[in-house]
């Protein structure tokens, strides 16, 4: 549409305006630049969100593994070793932890069945840049018990989990 408008302006008003050619070129360049910026913004944000999702799904079982061997929650995500994870998963999780893309906090530890079993509750949080699949109700913080969802809306999300 804009290309045709610029072309028509150039053809019709060539003799009346000396700078129509320059203006039409500048208009076309600015439109192309705007479209390039818009086309890269979506996929980059989506890729970052996939990295965060991948990291969360790698960190969660690693916390359960840590609790199994140490009978307590880790003090921080830096305590996790990622021995059972693939190299790719471990690197994605370590990168997310190092770049503060994922936050962790201990919530509660409960003794169940006369000191025989402990339930450790914790929270993993991240901020998604873009909606995934479809839009959820818009609250500032979302929480889901015991599972990390792959359908989320953009914004800050916390997952209440148990180990």
């Amino acid at each position: 549409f804009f290309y045709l408008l610029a072309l028509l302006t150039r053809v019709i008003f060539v003799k009346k305006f000396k700078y129509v050619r320059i203006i039409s070129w500048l208009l076309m360049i600015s439109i192309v630049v705007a479209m390039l910026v818009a086309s890269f913004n979506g996929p980059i944000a989506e890729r970052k969100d996939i990295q965060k999702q991948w990291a969360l799904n790698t960190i969660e079982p690693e916390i359960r593994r840590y609790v199994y061997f140490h009978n307590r929650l880790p003090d921080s995500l830096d305590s996790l070793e990622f021995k059972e994870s693939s190299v790719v998963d471990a690197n994605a999780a370590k990168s997310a932890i190092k770049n503060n893309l994922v936050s962790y906090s201990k919530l509660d530890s409960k003794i169940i069945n006369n000191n025989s079993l402990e339930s450790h509750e914790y929270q993993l949080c991240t901020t998604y840049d873009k909606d995934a699949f479809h839009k959820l109700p818009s609250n500032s913080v979302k929480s889901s018990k015991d599972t990390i969802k792959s359908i989320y809306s953009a914004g800050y999300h916390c997952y209440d989990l148990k180990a």
Side-chain angles (χ1 to χ4, degrees):
F1 174 73
F2 290 110
Y3 180 73
L4 290 175
L5 182 64
L7 186 61
L8 279 174
T9 305
R10 187 173 163 198
V11 170
I12 293 172
F13 298 111
V14 165
K15 293 183 179 179
K16 291 185 179 181
F17 298 106
K18 288 195 249 182
Y19 301 106
V20 170
R21 185 176 202 173
I22 294 171
I23 292 171
S24 65
W25 274 105
L26 290 175
L27 178 66
M28 293 309 298
I29 290 170
S30 63
I31 289 170
V32 168
V33 167
M35 291 181 78
L36 285 173
V37 167
S39 69
F40 283 115
N41 187 29
I44 290 171
E46 188 174 337
R47 196 171 335 142
K48 285 182 182 178
D49 285 348
I50 290 170
Q51 179 188 11
K52 292 172 191 174
Q53 188 72 27
W54 199 337
L56 287 173
N57 286 319
T58 303
I59 292 168
E60 180 188 11
E62 195 61 32
I63 290 175
R64 278 190 263 117
R65 183 178 174 280
Y66 185 94
V67 169
Y68 178 79
F69 287 108
H70 298 94
N71 202 27
R72 66 179 176 84
L73 287 169
D75 294 326
S76 72
L77 293 177
D78 295 324
S79 304
L80 302 176
E81 297 176 359
F82 300 100
K83 288 182 179 178
E84 297 294 318
S85 303
S86 72
V87 174
V88 174
D89 292 344
N91 288 340
K94 287 176 184 177
S95 174
I97 292 167
K98 180 182 174 188
N99 295 322
N100 295 319
L101 299 177
V102 176
S103 65
Y104 160 79
S105 60
K106 298 178 190 181
L107 295 179
D108 198 9
S109 292
K110 297 176 186 174
I111 298 174
I112 304 170
N113 297 339
N114 299 328
N115 297 337
S116 64
L117 179 65
E118 269 188 86
S119 172
H120 302 279
E121 295 180 6
Y122 63 97
Q123 195 172 60
L124 290 175
C125 301
T126 192
T127 302
Y128 294 113
D129 299 322
K130 195 173 179 186
D131 294 346
F133 300 111
H134 68 275
K135 198 165 179 101
L136 297 175
S138 58
N139 299 333
S140 60
V141 177
K142 281 83 176 168
S143 178
S144 61
K145 291 287 186 188
D146 299 321
T147 183
I148 295 174
K149 305 266 186 207
S150 59
I151 299 173
Y152 49 80
S153 58
Y156 189 69
H157 292 257
C158 285
Y159 301 98
D160 296 328
L161 303 162
K162 292 180 185 178

